[in-house]
Amino acid sequence: MKKIAILASGEGTNAERIIRYFSSHATVEVAVVIASRPTARVVERAHILNVPCEIIIPQDFAAGKGLEVLKSFKVDFVVLAGFLSRIPEDILHDYAHKIVNIHPSLLPKFGGKGMYGMHVHEAVLASGEHESGITIQYINEHYDQGDIIFQAKCPVLSDDTAETLAQRVHALEYTYYPQVIERLLSLPS
């Protein structure tokens, strides 16, 4: 059984879909959710879905508590799902090419520090882009610069708002993120 940890800071809609996707999987289980704030809605979602949830504030995460929790749950693979804290060197080292993130744009456009959630959709609209989408990537020490694993596109419509564009991008996230994680976990180590 391969064990994954989901790291999240907010609503947890992607985390919930990933948990549900793997809830009766033969070879993969979500072992733990790590939340960066006690008020993050992902904490409630994990509780409802009976997945252990550890709350680690950013300072403690950076100081080694994150790696400690990953090791204690015997995690094989780390999934970022709206996690806003920087991943420290110890985790990057111990989980090299075993940490993935999803970004709500077609990287390399609209990535980098501060580009998350609605900020991305607003930037896409302000730039006049005709398409947006998702990027699933391995992470490294630089925001949104890891190796790209998968991208899916959706149109940007002339009457879009950040909210309507976000809905189409979320639909792509919910469909593809669990599938890509499953495919990655089926690859030989």
Side-chain angles (χ1 to χ4, degrees):
M1 184 69 73
K2 291 193 178 177
K3 296 183 177 192
I4 43 180
I6 300 173
L7 281 57
S9 295
E11 285 295 310
T13 56
N14 270 312
E16 178 177 342
R17 278 156 181 85
I18 293 165
I19 292 167
R20 289 185 186 282
Y21 187 89
F22 290 110
S23 65
S24 58
H25 200 278
T27 60
V28 178
E29 73 171 334
V30 177
V32 63
V33 169
I34 297 175
S36 62
R37 331 179 268 122
T39 57
R41 181 105 191 283
V42 71
V43 174
E44 178 185 339
R45 291 178 194 271
H47 177 74
I48 290 168
L49 295 168
N50 296 313
V51 174
C53 184
E54 298 283 331
I55 299 163
I56 308 174
I57 62 171
Q59 299 89 323
D60 292 345
F61 190 78
K65 179 76 171 163
L67 183 60
E68 181 183 313
V69 169
L70 294 173
K71 295 296 185 186
S72 73
F73 280 90
K74 297 179 174 48
V75 168
D76 301 297
F77 197 80
V78 179
V79 174
L80 306 184
F83 191 66
L84 301 180
S85 295
R86 188 167 193 81
I87 304 300
E89 288 294 324
D90 59 350
I91 294 175
L92 289 173
H93 177 268
D94 282 21
Y95 288 90
H97 244 65
K98 293 182 181 175
I99 308 172
V100 295
N101 185 40
I102 191 161
H103 188 77
S105 77
L106 299 171
L107 291 174
K109 293 181 177 182
F110 311 106
K113 188 168 175 60
M115 291 302 287
Y116 61 90
M118 287 305 206
H119 301 292
V120 175
H121 305 304
E122 290 164 356
V124 167
L125 291 173
S127 74
E129 292 287 325
H130 297 290
E131 65 182 6
S132 191
I134 61 167
T135 301
I136 299 170
Q137 65 180 107
Y138 289 110
I139 69 151
N140 61 25
E141 63 278 2
H142 304 289
Y143 284 110
D144 300 325
Q145 293 182 24
D147 294 338
I148 293 174
I149 301 163
F150 176 86
Q151 290 185 311
K153 299 176 183 178
C154 66
V156 175
L157 305 177
S158 60
D159 61 345
D160 262 333
T161 64
E163 291 77 16
T164 59
L165 178 56
Q167 288 174 356
R168 278 196 306 290
V169 171
H170 283 310
L172 294 174
E173 291 174 349
Y174 302 155
T175 299
Y176 292 110
Y177 204 17
Q179 293 174 14
V180 171
I181 293 164
E182 182 178 41
R183 181 173 53 84
L184 293 171
L185 289 170
S186 71
L187 298 174
S189 298

